[in-house]
Amino acid sequence: MLKVNHSGKVYITPRLKATHTDFEQVHSNEDNQPSNSYVQSYNAICRATGETHTITILDTSCSFYKKDPNLASTLFIQEMLYLTSRFREKIKIEYSEFYENMIVLVTKRHEVLSQAVSKHPKDQFDVAKLIEGIATDLNYIQTKAETLNFTIQLNNISRFAYSNEYFLINWASGAEHDLIDKTESMCAQNFEDLRRLQIAKQIFELGLLSLQLMDVDSQEWQDLGNIKSSSIYNAALEAIMKNVESKNQSPQIQSILRKMLQKTPETRGTFCDLIMQLNNKVTDEIPLSLKEMLLLESQVKSQIICIMSVFFIIPLEII
């Protein structure tokens, strides 16, 4: 059985039909669909275990792929390898495959936050885990894929079912919002200044999204970034923080959010700062989870070998 939510090409390979059943196409609400979405996603039941899996397939019929198939394929492979490195136990390598130019990644079930917020009570979302997970992803992307610039929204964040493990999805949306024009004429200092502003913007957006998941009234925060007066801004931020406190958030989260939502970008800190504060680390100590992200190259190498055994398409030169 296949339940399709939109009219378009359906990507179900013969092998997937043999290993899974009850396919249901997964999409965000139409108005919230990322304009650069480059995948087709399905939930399906594994015939062998009865477990629900999420199947993510590079969409070779989408406009982003047709415009630049090499970039689309590269981003999908990078996203796939990163996810494999961060959540090794969640990836179903044995069901992933390459078939007629389609790259297929099978994982344990996960859901996009734009869907999850309409299905689950707001108190089921762990804001601390959200901030830590997305900050970890963005720190890696800024370090290793610095041309990508994500706008932090519900439709490009997902979480695994029955857990509070959050991660960025749809890396093509980061290619769409490129604030940094890294040309030969741009000096290194200018590039670094722009990158710092980009990080500060993403931290602010992540703070606003956290307020949304806490069910803080959107009228209190949706225009916060447009306030010019510092005194008015600070008064608005104080009102927001009182609302956060009323949501029974810990003093730690209140302190972190206050810093993330500062008017001056330079005072918002970095992704490393957020992760260290969440892990109660001293300022000169990097938590284990972040160390692992900074050492992903060695982890990715071992995963490439596993994935190559399935796909037979990734050249060793990329290692």
Side-chain angles (χ1 to χ4, degrees):
M1 182 181 73
L2 172 62
K3 183 179 179 181
V4 181
N5 296 331
H6 84 310
S7 57
K9 185 175 180 179
V10 176
Y11 292 81
I12 303 296
T13 70
R15 186 165 181 265
L16 286 174
K17 290 179 181 178
T19 58
H20 291 74
T21 186
D22 294 342
F23 291 85
E24 180 177 0
Q25 198 163 34
V26 180
H27 279 284
S28 304
N29 295 330
E30 191 65 26
D31 292 339
N32 293 326
Q33 187 75 5
S35 58
N36 252 17
S37 179
Y38 69 155
V39 300
Q40 294 282 355
S41 296
Y42 303 86
N43 286 333
I45 297 175
C46 177
R47 296 181 187 272
T49 66
E51 181 183 33
T52 299
H53 293 162
T54 294
I55 300 166
T56 306
I57 304 173
L58 178 63
D59 185 355
T60 56
S61 69
C62 72
S63 58
F64 182 72
Y65 181 90
K66 290 179 178 179
K67 180 180 178 181
D68 194 335
N70 291 330
L71 176 60
S73 300
T74 297
L75 288 174
F76 186 86
I77 291 171
Q78 289 177 342
E79 182 175 348
M80 176 181 67
L81 292 175
Y82 176 81
L83 192 65
T84 302
S85 297
R86 188 175 167 204
F87 300 109
R88 291 188 290 274
E89 75 286 358
K90 306 287 188 184
I91 308 301
K92 299 298 180 180
I93 294 287
E94 64 271 30
Y95 298 120
S96 301
E97 64 173 318
F98 177 75
Y99 178 81
E100 294 185 351
N101 293 324
M102 292 187 295
I103 307 174
V104 180
L105 177 66
V106 182
T107 68
K108 290 190 175 183
R109 185 176 181 272
H110 60 83
E111 57 185 348
V112 181
L113 287 192
S114 56
Q115 295 177 325
V117 294
S118 63
K119 297 179 181 178
H120 308 293
K122 294 294 177 63
D123 59 8
Q124 289 192 11
F125 299 97
D126 189 325
V127 172
K129 292 295 186 183
L130 168 75
I131 295 172
E132 182 177 17
I134 301 309
T136 298
D137 288 356
L138 288 171
N139 182 76
Y140 179 80
I141 288 169
Q142 286 290 348
T143 304
K144 303 302 179 184
E146 56 194 15
T147 58
L148 295 180
N149 173 35
F150 286 89
T151 298
I152 308 304
Q153 299 172 330
L154 292 174
N155 59 25
N156 60 14
I157 297 175
S158 194
R159 72 167 184 174
F160 284 105
Y162 312 111
S163 77
N164 272 298
E165 295 174 297
Y166 298 86
F167 56 97
L168 282 170
I169 59 172
N170 191 37
W171 284 23
S173 67
E176 180 182 45
H177 304 288
D178 186 8
L179 292 183
I180 297 180
D181 180 18
K182 192 175 181 181
T183 63
E184 293 181 0
S185 61
M186 177 175 288
C187 69
Q189 185 59 51
N190 286 343
F191 175 74
E192 286 303 314
D193 289 344
L194 283 173
R195 194 166 74 92
R196 281 193 289 270
L197 287 175
Q198 178 176 311
I199 291 171
K201 170 180 172 287
Q202 291 172 330
I203 289 175
F204 185 82
E205 291 171 345
L206 184 55
L208 294 183
L209 189 141
S210 299
L211 296 177
Q212 185 176 355
L213 290 185
M214 291 178 191
D215 207 21
V216 175
D217 189 346
S218 62
Q219 292 185 351
E220 293 192 23
W221 54 263
Q222 62 184 358
D223 293 322
L224 185 65
N226 298 325
I227 298 176
K228 303 299 183 182
S229 167
S230 295
S231 59
I232 295 176
Y233 186 98
N234 291 334
L237 181 57
E238 286 302 318
I240 290 171
M241 295 314 301
K242 287 182 179 179
N243 202 329
V244 171
E245 183 179 5
S246 72
K247 302 294 182 181
N248 297 318
Q249 294 295 326
S250 68
Q252 180 194 45
I253 290 298
Q254 294 177 46
S255 174
I256 290 171
L257 280 174
R258 183 184 293 277
K259 185 174 183 179
M260 295 173 72
L261 297 173
Q262 288 297 304
K263 180 174 176 58
T264 306
E266 292 80 5
T267 59
R268 296 171 191 163
T270 65
F271 299 127
C272 290
D273 294 335
L274 292 177
I275 299 169
M276 287 189 288
Q277 193 171 353
L278 283 165
N279 286 273
N280 295 314
K281 300 292 181 179
V282 295
T283 55
D284 61 348
E285 181 181 358
I286 299 178
L288 179 61
S289 61
L290 184 55
K291 285 182 179 178
E292 290 175 345
M293 291 301 102
L294 295 177
L295 294 173
L296 270 176
E297 289 89 345
S298 61
Q299 298 177 3
V300 167
K301 287 180 182 179
S302 63
Q303 294 300 329
I304 287 176
I305 296 173
C306 296
I307 293 175
M308 284 180 65
S309 67
V310 180
F311 295 124
F312 296 100
I313 61 168
I314 304 176
L316 288 174
E317 286 77 4
I318 74 171
I319 301 180

